[in-house]
Amino acid sequence: KLPVADGTSGQSLTTNASGQLAFSSICDRDQSTGGQSIGTGNSHEYTPGIPDSAKIVYYTFWDVDATGTDQLRLQLGTASAWATSGYNHRAAYVSNSSTVAVESTTSYITCPHSAWSSADNDFYGYFQFIKHVDNKWIYTAQFTEQENVYLNWGQGLIDIDLKRFKLYWSGSDTFASGGTVNCTWIS
């Protein structure tokens, strides 16, 4: 049966599987924040509006560089607190085809890289978070440095109601020229 009234702009016909049609809004399943400048401070807190229905979340960073030689780190947060424990994280890099470094952390996500020893190197990367069940997330990461060719990756898991991100330097360095972050999710 056709609906008795017209729908509104953007709605589609749906069925109740018993012969009745109705106009319904289509859920926009992919969302992106469109990017945000990280400024020139020591850290950048980012609350993109991740809904509880998100199943896959991508956090990306572009053209990030430090004023010194500190290590880049990522911390995850709920709506009200930062997770300072509970990470099961492993990360590694390969440089010059011979140096391999592996780091394990439980209080943050690290982006290990030999080029942190040089200020003003430009870094790019992403983290992909996949929700297993409830608030159990499995993640992978890849990142690169523009001035050199390095293989950089990370992986891990955490149980958190993921709502926000904090990208920061391990010491007192600041972001040299800003850069941007973005968040995209699929529900």
Side-chain angles (χ1 to χ4, degrees):
K1 297 177 183 178
L2 291 173
V4 294
D6 291 340
T8 60
S9 178
Q11 288 186 321
S12 297
L13 281 173
T14 58
T15 180
N16 67 358
S18 296
Q20 180 63 53
L21 297 175
F23 286 101
S24 300
S25 296
I26 300 291
C27 177
D28 191 1
R29 299 177 56 87
D30 301 331
Q31 296 287 327
S32 176
T33 59
Q36 185 177 86
S37 174
I38 59 175
T40 57
N42 172 263
S43 67
H44 179 263
E45 296 182 10
Y46 184 41
T47 306
I50 300 168
D52 292 337
S53 61
K55 304 289 185 230
I56 300 173
V57 175
Y58 294 96
Y59 174 80
T60 58
F61 58 93
W62 184 268
D63 197 21
V64 170
D65 55 353
T67 55
T69 60
D70 289 344
Q71 184 182 70
L72 188 63
R73 295 178 176 172
L74 179 66
Q75 201 154 38
L76 307 176
T78 65
S80 61
W82 293 107
T84 58
S85 64
Y87 297 85
N88 184 350
H89 177 71
R90 307 285 183 276
Y93 70 84
V94 177
S95 67
N96 302 326
S97 302
S98 61
T99 304
V100 177
V102 178
E103 186 171 341
S104 300
T105 57
T106 58
S107 57
Y108 54 84
I109 297 171
T110 184
C111 302
H113 199 293
S114 65
W116 295 133
S117 61
S118 302
D120 293 326
N121 286 344
D122 301 318
F123 291 87
Y124 306 82
Y126 74 88
F127 292 86
Q128 176 187 36
F129 297 88
I130 301 172
K131 188 184 284 187
H132 173 64
V133 295
D134 302 322
N135 288 320
K136 293 171 177 46
W137 296 89
I138 300 165
Y139 63 86
T140 59
Q142 290 188 345
F143 29 94
T144 189
E145 185 258 324
Q146 183 179 14
E147 286 77 10
N148 298 295
V149 178
Y150 295 97
L151 302 173
N152 309 272
W153 64 95
Q155 63 187 28
L157 52 98
I158 190 168
D159 189 346
I160 187 174
D161 182 15
L162 182 60
K163 296 296 181 197
R164 56 190 178 140
F165 306 94
K166 180 167 56 174
L167 194 63
Y168 68 101
W169 298 106
S170 59
S172 60
D173 284 356
T174 58
F175 294 104
S177 61
T180 58
V181 295
N182 191 16
C183 184
T184 303
W185 60 86
I186 301 170
S187 295

